[in-house]
Amino acid sequence: MNFAELSTYFERLEKTTSRNTITEILAELFKKSTPDAIGKICYLLQGRVVPLFEPIEFGVADKMMMRAIALGLSIEVKTVNDVFKKLGDIGSAAEFLKKAGKKSHLAQQTFLDVGNTIKNEKLPITDVFDHFVKIAKSTGPGSQDEKIKLLAELIRVAEPLSVRYLVRIPLGKMRLGFSDMTILDALSWMLKGDKSYKKKIEAAYNVRPDLGYIAQTVKARGMDGLRHVTPKVGTPIMMARANRLTSAVEIFEKIGKCAVEYKYDGLRLQVHYVKSEKRKAKSEKIKMFSRNLEDVTPMFPDIAEAVKLQTEADEVIFEGEVVAYNPKTHVFVPFQETMQRKRKYDIAAKALEIPVKLFVFELLYVDGISYLTKTYEERKKKLKLIIKTFKDSRFPPKADRRGNDTTGSTIVYAQEKVTQNETDVEDMFAESVSLHFEGIIAKKLDGVYEAGIRGWNWIKFKKAMSKKLNDTLDVLVMGYTLGEGKRTAFGVGQFLTGVYDQKQDKFMTVTKIGTGLTDEQFREFIKRVHKLKSKEKPATYEVDTLLTPDVWLMPGLVVEVSSDEITRSAVHTAGRVMEKSKSGKAFSVKTPGFALRFPRLEKFRDDKRPEDATTVTEIDSLFKKQGQ
Ligand code: AMP
């Protein structure tokens, strides 16, 4: 398959919003691809050349792209800009200009002028991919011109439809409106003509969330190939998540005697470490990932140092929660302050100003052995052999009333007690909250590590936020209305948010939020949504027409909200069931959806992916439990 043919698939995908049709088109595309190309196609579908967790970006902005188009088509940048303004989409503008140029033979004439390393207008996918890799990897002085030249070469030889996508991919504007889950469905369809392999494929993907690798493996070796998918140091594992309950009694009913740990209020970190071989300092590798698989290694140079000092294994993957503390008082500070480390500059200064501790609680892999399928008890036992902690008299264990004095090290164990006693749980809960943490997490003693799953092996019990609804929710920001009155200054009135419907891989609305934001939060909001704006409603959104916002946003920003109560609503789509009227033409509401009463923004959750938002199933169970 060449890039021109691939572009016809992109176009078909762009035109449809039905998830089933998207899955079928993808399956057809995957059937036609070779094992060699399928992985690359998967990355290109996401507008990338590497898996999502690798921080390699194209580094191409609209202005640069306009110069590349102008160079590739031998026209003025101003012409490109004018057409772009008219059409509102730079990919379509380039396609239009390419067509116009073809007619006038303008482009062909200029081939001679600039020289070209690519000749064929039926570009092979691998050539485009390799070219894109070069573009993404080109950095430093002169890289802008280099990137423009490489892009221009592609634009010059490709046919018009291909040009549309050659321009959109590096700009991150593919916006095909489906998530990795749909691609996994399509892989099952490719093999079997239905979704029955999806669960198994997804389980492998949760261990190695690299779509290209998974696609290539099933294409080359079928479902059997997936049996060999094991953790790989350097590739993040999808993190296990917790279900929620609201009392010790409920927890014991569900999982019996269990390990109760503090629920720290910081940032989840998955640490990947390879010790250097003798005299080969370069072979040492360390990477740290957040929950949304973002590589956050540069944020925590002090933890990297501690990992080298405190880890006794050659190759290891483990997890913990990183929490910042005030160096004078040794009191732990809230999540938002820990996140200040995110500022890319001045990390070293920040490390002194906001020191951190990493509370470790999970072992996933060590020295060639996957611990994912081992029990909690086995994992914890081994973890304690691998991570060495030490005492430090400078650290009064003010943060730890149990006298579990390992607080001198940067890496310490999460506070833990194995129990089946209600008072123990309540004591731990109260201690945790008094230390500014969030409550507790109970872990099933014989439970495995459920990669990427919100299962019952981990149960969270969080502190009460309000009377009826005892928990906060994580919701996806789907769009916003423009401001009125005082808010015009910010350009945002209210924003529409939704929860995740796993069964349908869709986002369903649950509330609009507008009141109670500080000016600072409004400004933050604008900054964060800037890159997510979309001309059309993303295909994964289900929104009642009454709630159509002025500006749609692609899935990207998750926020934590508190609210007084979950109520029923006919306009929100979360949990709503529609039925056909007797005439069979119109639809009416059979069961209303869920909505939030008095929603308030608590914080921006940069560490969560859209699919990590609260699910419809969770809202349903919270609704049922409410007020009990
Ligand atoms: P939630 O974000 O409310 O779903 O709660 C799960 C999160 O709690 C995890 O992703 C961790 O970031 C955090 N957490 C804090 N302490 C622990 C712990 N001891 N074990 C597991 N997760 C923890």
Side-chain angles (χ1 to χ4, degrees), residues 356-543:
V356 293
K357 293 252 170 221
L358 176 64
F359 293 92
V360 283
F361 46 72
E362 269 301 339
L363 176 69
L364 291 82
Y365 171 90
V366 63
D367 295 338
I369 298 170
S370 167
Y371 270 68
L372 299 178
T373 49
K374 300 203 187 281
T375 66
Y376 170 87
E377 283 175 314
E378 289 169 311
R379 296 196 304 273
K380 252 301 161 62
K381 196 168 151 209
K382 184 75 176 172
L383 182 71
K384 287 179 180 166
L385 292 174
I386 287 169
I387 307 282
K388 298 286 166 206
T389 57
F390 49 86
K391 294 187 184 188
D392 182 340
S393 56
R394 284 175 308 156
F395 266 90
K398 202 171 178 177
D400 185 347
R401 291 182 188 167
R402 300 188 152 226
N404 188 6
D405 187 6
T406 53
T407 47
S409 350
T410 298
I411 305 176
V412 291
Y413 295 117
Q415 183 68 260
E416 156 214 312
K417 186 178 177 90
V418 175
T419 181
Q420 192 164 12
N421 179 323
E422 259 176 69
T423 323
D424 280 346
V425 177
E426 275 149 23
D427 283 353
M428 293 251 322
F429 187 91
E431 281 166 19
S432 162
V433 171
S434 74
L435 296 170
H436 303 153
F437 302 139
E438 286 190 302
I440 54 117
I441 293 211
K443 299 183 176 175
K444 194 169 172 216
L445 294 177
D446 59 0
V448 299
Y449 182 94
E450 298 180 291
I453 290 175
R454 194 187 294 286
W456 290 103
N457 287 352
W458 286 12
I459 303 174
K460 61 187 170 187
F461 169 17
K462 282 174 37 172
K463 71 182 170 210
M465 303 295 297
S466 68
K467 290 244 164 54
K468 277 207 157 173
L469 184 59
N470 289 329
D471 211 337
T472 56
L473 304 175
D474 299 317
V475 293
L476 177 75
V477 181
M478 301 162 76
Y480 62 88
T481 51
L482 300 173
E484 281 170 22
K486 182 189 158 215
R487 306 248 185 84
T488 353
F490 300 111
V492 175
Q494 290 186 311
F495 51 96
L496 180 67
T497 69
V499 290
Y500 185 51
D501 186 325
Q502 279 170 307
K503 283 185 209 121
Q504 305 186 59
D505 190 17
K506 286 216 155 153
F507 293 93
M508 309 295 210
T509 69
V510 74
T511 195
K512 285 201 284 188
I513 305 175
T515 48
L517 263 73
T518 61
D519 289 2
E520 184 52 35
Q521 281 176 318
F522 268 118
R523 268 184 223 112
E524 273 293 314
F525 182 86
I526 295 293
K527 234 177 27 202
R528 282 161 201 261
V529 299
H530 184 66
K531 270 185 129 177
L532 300 172
K533 286 184 194 170
S534 162
K535 265 190 9 201
E536 280 158 30
K537 177 167 81 74
T540 46
Y541 291 1
E542 203 146 306
V543 180

Side-chain angles (χ1 to χ4, degrees), residues 261-264 268 291 321 443 460 462 608:
E261 295 177 354
Y262 285 171
K263 185 176 189 306
Y264 298 94
R268 174 103 163 252
R291 253 174 79 128
E321 184 94 348
K443 299 183 176 175
K460 61 187 170 187
K462 282 174 37 172
K608 294 206 169 183

